[in-house]
Amino acid sequence: MAISPAKIFIVIPAYNEQDNISIVIQSLLKYEYQVIVVNDGSTDQTSWQVQQFPPVILLEHLVNLGMGAALATGTKYALSQGAQIIVHFDADRQMRVADIAQMILPIVQQEVDVTIGNRLANSQIPVLKKYFIFPIARILNNLMTGLYLVDVHNGFRALNAKAAQKINIEQQGMAHATEIVQKIKKFNLKYREVPVTIDYHVFGQGIGGGLKILHDLFLKKIV
Amino acid sequence: MILSLIISLLGIYSIVSFYWKLKNGKINRQYFTWWLFFWLVVIILFWWPNISSGVANYLGIGRGADFVLYISVLLLFYSQFKLYLQLNKLMNNQAVIVQQLAINQAKDHEKSISNHR
C-alpha cells in the first residue's frame, strides 16, 4: 500500500520546550510529513518558536493538561485531516527523526496496526532504568495490559487510522502509554516493537513517575 | 455544659445558613437534609453523651468517644473520596473543553489560510 507523506502526521506534545522544539521541527521538515505540535500550556516561548515554521500545525492548550491529553488532541486533529498514519514523537530531541521510516514501514506494508519503539537494542540507557526500573515495569505492564513488551513505556509509536480511531486516549498524564497498550490488547490490534535509538539528555521518568502512573491507572479503574 | 452550648449555637447557625441556601436555590434538598441530620446528631451527642456509649456498647466498641471518633474518620474518608471524584470529573471536563478549543482554533486558522489562497 502506498501512502502519501502528506497523510503521515507526526504529533508532538510540547510543554516548555523552547530550547528543543525548533531543532526537532527543522529535522522533521526535511521530510514531507505533516507536523502537528500541541503546545500543552507552555509558559515559555514554545508557541512562538513553533509559529516560526508556517508548515507546522500548532494546536494550543490554554492550560497544561499533560502528555496524554496533548497526544489525544493532536491525534484527533490529525484524523480530522485525513491522516492514514499518526506518529507520536517527543519534543525533547531524545527521538531520532530517521527512525520514523522504520516505525511506519510495518504499517505501510499492512503487517501491523501499531508499532511501538524499543530502545533496548540501540540506546545507551541509564543503568538504574535498564536493570531496576524497566524489569519491574515490564512485569507490571504485563499484569495490567496482558501484553508482553520489551520496552513498556516508550513514547515513540505509530498508529494507522483504524488504530488511532479505536484508541481513544483518556489518560491525561504519563499513564497514557500503558492505556494505549491496554487498548491494543482490548481491540485486538496487531502490533510490533521496532528498534529505535533514544538519546538520553535527561533521566526522564523515575520511580516517582512510575508510582504516579500506577495511581492514575488505579483511579481510572475505580472512577 | 459550655462546650455543649457552643456546639449547639454553631450547629443552629449552620442549619439556619444551610436553610437559607436551600431557600435561595444554592443547594439541593438532599444536601440540606444531610447537613441537618449531621448537626442534629452532633448536638444530641453533646447534650446526651450516654447515647453514644449505648450505641458503642451495642456494637462492641467500648467507649462512646471511640465510636464517635471511628464514625468521624469514616465520614472524613468518604467525603475526601467524594471530593476526589468530583475533582477528577471537573479535570476531565476541563480537558475536553481545552482540547476542543485547540482543535477548533486550528481548524479556523486553516480555513482562513485556505480562504486567502
Side-chain angles (χ1 to χ4, degrees):
Chain A
M1 180 179 68
I3 293 178
S4 154
K7 294 290 178 191
I8 299 169
F9 282 68
I10 315 296
V11 175
I12 309 171
Y15 177 63
N16 289 347
E17 292 287 0
Q18 64 177 11
D19 297 334
N20 298 313
I21 195 71
S22 296
I23 301 164
V24 173
I25 291 173
Q26 274 167 355
S27 45
L28 278 165
L29 289 180
K30 289 175 191 161
Y31 300 79
E32 291 175 66
Y33 306 129
Q34 297 284 327
V35 180
I36 296 175
V37 175
V38 185
N39 176 32
D40 192 23
S42 296
T43 51
D44 65 358
Q45 297 296 310
T46 300
S47 178
W48 184 85
Q49 298 269 0
V50 178
Q51 286 169 31
Q52 306 315 303
F53 301 93
V56 175
I57 301 158
L58 174 63
L59 301 176
E60 293 267 17
H61 279 177
L62 294 174
V63 291
N64 179 245
L65 295 178
M67 194 177 191
L71 284 171
T73 306
T75 303
K76 195 173 170 187
Y77 184 79
L79 286 171
S80 77
Q81 301 299 303
Q84 289 185 333
I85 296 180
I86 296 164
V87 179
H88 292 168
F89 200 80
D90 280 0
D92 56 6
R93 291 189 293 125
Q94 291 200 351
M95 294 168 182
R96 293 189 181 177
V97 174
D99 285 338
I100 293 176
Q102 291 302 314
M103 287 289 288
I104 62 176
L105 188 64
I107 297 175
V108 173
Q109 292 175 334
Q110 294 185 300
E111 292 168 0
V112 296
D113 301 305
V114 183
T115 55
I116 302 165
N118 171 12
R119 78 197 100 168
L120 272 92
N122 300 341
S123 312
Q124 289 289 321
I125 299 164
V127 174
L128 180 66
K129 276 199 168 188
K130 192 169 183 178
Y131 297 106
F132 183 69
I133 296 176
F134 281 4
I136 294 171
R138 220 169 278 147
I139 295 165
L140 289 173
N141 180 73
N142 188 233
L143 288 172
M144 283 186 292
T145 66
L147 290 188
Y148 183 81
L149 293 178
V150 177
D151 189 356
V152 294
H153 240 257
N154 197 317
F156 200 169
R157 65 183 77 82
L159 309 95
N160 64 15
K162 181 185 93 176
Q165 273 157 356
K166 286 193 169 179
I167 299 172
N168 175 33
I169 303 169
E170 294 170 280
Q171 286 286 352
Q172 293 176 32
M174 296 309 290
H176 71 274
T178 306
E179 182 198 9
I180 289 171
V181 179
Q182 283 174 331
K183 289 184 176 172
I184 288 171
K185 169 86 173 169
K186 182 181 173 186
F187 297 116
N188 209 17
L189 298 167
K190 289 183 193 159
Y191 72 98
R192 184 182 298 166
E193 285 188 279
V194 175
V196 293
T197 304
I198 301 293
D199 299 311
Y200 279 95
H201 307 299
V202 289
F203 185 80
Q205 280 189 95
I207 295 168
L211 292 174
K212 170 85 173 70
I213 289 166
L214 286 175
H215 165 269
D216 288 350
L217 291 168
F218 176 70
L219 185 67
K220 194 76 197 171
K221 284 264 180 214
I222 58 170
V223 173
Chain B
M1 174 75 174
I2 293 172
L3 187 63
S4 299
L5 264 175
I6 293 169
I7 292 294
S8 301
L9 287 173
L10 191 67
I12 289 164
Y13 171 77
S14 293
I15 290 168
V16 171
S17 100
F18 277 117
Y19 178 74
W20 280 112
K21 282 181 184 167
L22 176 70
K23 273 276 187 194
N24 295 327
K26 287 180 180 170
I27 57 170
N28 61 29
R29 187 165 289 278
Q30 191 188 351
Y31 195 74
F32 171 75
T33 311
W34 156 246
W35 281 109
L36 176 69
F37 172 75
F38 174 80
W39 279 112
L40 286 178
V41 169
V42 170
I43 292 167
I44 288 168
L45 287 180
F46 266 89
W47 283 104
W48 296 283
N50 287 341
I51 293 175
S52 67
S53 301
V55 177
N57 283 334
Y58 178 73
L59 293 172
I61 292 172
R63 292 190 313 161
D66 289 343
F67 167 70
V68 172
L69 189 72
Y70 294 161
I71 293 293
S72 306
V73 170
L74 280 176
L75 285 175
L76 280 172
F77 269 120
Y78 177 71
S79 61
Q80 169 87 358
F81 181 66
K82 286 277 281 183
L83 270 175
Y84 201 68
L85 293 184
Q86 280 177 352
L87 188 67
N88 198 260
K89 195 176 160 190
L90 272 175
M91 283 170 70
N92 285 339
N93 289 344
Q94 174 197 262
V96 170
I97 294 166
V98 170
Q99 289 175 307
Q100 198 55 50
L101 270 174
I103 289 170
N104 290 349
Q105 204 179 23
K107 281 183 177 169
D108 288 347
H109 183 66
E110 290 284 311
K111 215 179 280 177
S112 70
I113 289 172
S114 57
N115 285 344
H116 278 101
R117 279 175 192 152

